Amino acid sequence: MRRKPATVRIARWSATHPWSAIGLWVVFVTLCLVLGGTAGAQKISDEESGVGESGRAGRITASGHFTEKPEENVLITATSDGTLDLATARKAAAELAGRMKALTEVESVGAAVPSPDGKALLLPVTMKGDTENADTRVQPLLDASAATEKAHEGIRIEQIGTGSTAKGLGETLGEDFRKAELISLPLTLLILLVVFGAIIAAGVPVLLALSSVGAAIGLSALASHVLPETSAVSNVILLLGMAVGVDYSLFHLKREREERRKGASHLDAIEIAAETSGHTVVVSGITVMVSMAGLYLAQEATFASLATGSIIVVAVAVLASLTVLPALLAKLGRWVDRPRVPLLWRLTMRSTGSRLWPVLLRPALVRPALTLVVSVGALLALALPALDMRLKQPGSDDLSRDIPVVRAMDRLTAAFPGKGTVHQVAVRAPAGRAGEVEDALRALLSRTEGRDLFAHDRTPSIRASADKRVHTVAVGTPHSPRSDGARESLELLRAWVPEAIAPVRGAEGAVGGKVAQGVDFTGHLKDRMPWVVGFVLLLTFVTMAVIFRSLAVALSAILLNLLSAAASFGVLVAVFQHTWAEGVLDFHSSGAVVSWLPLFLFVVLFGLSMDYHVFVVSRIREAALDGAGVRDAVRDGITRSAGVVTGAAIVMVAVFAVFGTLSMVEFKQLGVGLAAAILLDAVVIRIYVLPALMTALGRWNWWPGGLGPGTSGRHAAGSDEVRQPGPPVAVPVREQRR
């Protein structure tokens, strides 16, 4: 008797020792959360995240070891947005300054400065401590501002700074994600309830997905001490973890239930599900993880962080499906199908085949060439807007104006342009050349005078490091970060800085800042994208060729995934580069797509698409191995896998679409892009393009190896097992026992 696959051995141990398996999983998740929370997450620093000239500017500045203090800008304006009564404003500023100085969190308070147009007064405040946790210590300052505003009618007092801005945005995003959870969890449960028709069966995948996300967040915090993480990684872990965690459990549960309906004992059903669906989950998980590993080739800290978080959560979701899920099924027994929802239960357990899917598949099976031309043409039409894709880094301009701190930032920038968009000039030279460097920077600043591209509401100050080796100066521009004016001012500075420091022997300089980071990051991605895309395409091709022993299947997988990716990019551009959807999705169009999104979306889409593609094509191949003709095999394979794949796709689309409701434009674009991609892949590709292509190719589908020797009757009808390459073909556990 052949040795059972590892998935079966693991599942059998878990099923026969359920309390041990469940206990070990609880301990594992708890340890991950405790250790991750104790160690804390190591965030990516500006020095580590920068690329190009802006990255060099960040490293030069970091080498100066400047002491950064959290700063708050208290803006006093008229409530009617008219002319400010400066006497009243100065009185309020003096009162507020007294309150601020009495706070233990405040280090110093500067003199109030009026704006050039006389419509605002600015009170600078410096806090004690570092900038990392200023948002947790800024509340007393906000309370002082609110109390002063309440005591003086006709004026508005707002704070914009290191702590207040982070606190305001953090609270808004926190509320966003709480709402997203309140929507996504009940929605996912409702979808699973329709799929299973029983409450416990619907709850198990959600429970495992949530525990997988928790464990992955803890492990990600530990991993961040080797590869520092971006602030967005926990959101990506939640997004992918809920999607794949629910899907993997769904595959397993549906197969276990199917085998019980055929008469298998509870333990046999668990083992068969582990050998078939469990194997599919392993193949899918490995494919997603290796696809995500392609992001490391981008050679950028943010992408490395996203890749690490994604790989961790997919690995944990696979582990949960193989270990604790069989234990839960064994312990629950037939209670997994309780309590039943009468109507939904009858629908999910009906023995007759679906009438809908044969009707949907008829065009692809009867007229494959025409269906292929029409469906591919429709996807190419959707992809056309992607040819005009423009990439930009997200900034304050992309934030919702419903957020109070964002409106305050707008008023501050309008009154004091030098506080808005700022370019950071950094120069490093021998300490003995400090005087020459300062002269060069003053000459540089003189060239900005009188030019509309630069702000003139305040005189930039030159900072020197303690060892006199590094000098920095902030040069403001009145233009918004995404404007052409901001880019033109950056280009001028980058042309002037080398000229200014050329006479200083041993000097090196660079221009950084938010605008520069966006320009350099986008350029870096364009250079690295061919490497990442090439890696993912090669991986997909090799994986499919090995699994199905067919170059035709591998090549078609590449082409179909490229087609669905292009169509989803077209949808993304059509929605977010124009203004027609602003009211629907509550965003302000920047006329561009977030620069990191296409590459990340491409990698994730290829990984997730393989999930469905492997599942569906394997069942088509099994039908063909059982002797079915091409049309019958395609119809049988897609119809038998339709329930599971459709349920999994609906869950993914629902989870991703919820992210489209968040305030941050990058999460809106990520959610809409992934939802559109999965929807197109599960509907257009699977119902029309894939069956039409396979029907048209006929026996060429299995070129060059063919289907091998006849094995009619050897495969259990409806098996979703993904066979390893080469003989012998695995025999289900139930058949071995017979």
Side-chain angles (χ1 to χ4, degrees), residues 243-507:
V244 300
V246 169
D247 275 12
Y248 294 162
S249 298
L250 175 62
F251 291 165
H252 211 113
L253 272 167
K254 288 287 284 187
R255 185 54 192 255
E256 190 267 351
R257 172 188 279 184
E258 181 180 331
E259 294 303 323
R260 279 194 289 113
R261 286 179 59 194
K262 293 178 181 178
S265 68
H266 202 70
L267 184 58
D268 280 355
I270 291 173
E271 290 194 23
I272 295 169
E275 186 175 8
T276 54
S277 292
H279 190 202
T280 301
V281 167
V282 171
V283 171
S284 172
I286 291 174
T287 303
V288 175
M289 287 187 282
V290 181
S291 294
M292 296 305 302
L295 290 176
Y296 290 119
L297 297 180
Q299 296 183 352
E300 199 276 329
T302 300
F303 279 114
S305 170
L306 295 177
T308 301
S310 301
I311 289 171
I312 289 174
V313 75
V314 173
V316 173
V318 171
L319 182 65
S321 177
L322 297 181
T323 58
V324 70
L325 180 58
L328 286 173
L329 293 177
K331 200 62 190 173
L332 288 170
R334 296 190 181 274
W335 276 97
V336 74
D337 292 329
R338 304 286 194 280
R340 298 172 179 175
V341 181
L343 177 61
L344 295 178
W345 174 258
R346 286 196 295 271
L347 289 174
T348 60
M349 298 303 291
R350 64 185 179 185
S351 57
T352 57
S354 170
R355 296 179 181 178
L356 174 63
W357 286 98
V359 173
L360 292 175
L361 290 171
R362 186 174 298 143
L365 300 178
V366 175
R367 298 183 181 275
L370 178 61
T371 303
L372 193 62
V373 170
V374 173
S375 55
V376 169
L379 289 174
L380 289 176
L382 280 177
L384 279 178
L387 298 175
D388 187 39
M389 181 182 289
R390 294 185 291 275
L391 303 178
K392 285 185 181 179
Q393 277 287 75
S396 59
D397 288 345
D398 299 304
L399 296 172
S400 171
R401 266 47 205 170
D402 292 333
I403 305 174
V405 72
V406 175
R407 295 196 300 270
M409 290 167 60
D410 290 342
R411 281 189 279 267
L412 175 65
T413 303
F416 298 91
K419 290 285 187 179
T421 307
V422 176
H423 304 301
Q424 296 287 347
V425 180
V427 178
R428 181 165 52 198
R433 304 281 180 179
E436 297 176 46
V437 172
E438 291 182 5
D439 290 340
L441 290 178
R442 278 192 288 269
L444 174 70
L445 293 175
S446 67
R447 297 184 70 173
T448 67
E449 294 177 1
R451 290 180 176 266
D452 294 338
L453 289 174
F454 301 97
H456 307 293
D457 56 290
R458 64 190 183 100
T459 303
S461 58
I462 300 172
R463 293 195 308 166
S465 62
D467 60 6
K468 302 296 183 183
R469 294 180 61 249
V470 178
H471 291 75
T472 67
V473 62
V475 182
T477 173
H479 303 283
S480 64
R482 69 185 185 204
S483 66
D484 292 335
R487 292 175 64 96
E488 289 176 20
S489 62
L490 172 66
E491 292 170 1
L492 272 181
L493 279 179
R494 285 187 163 177
W496 290 346
V497 167
E499 297 174 5
I501 66 174
V504 184
R505 183 177 301 175

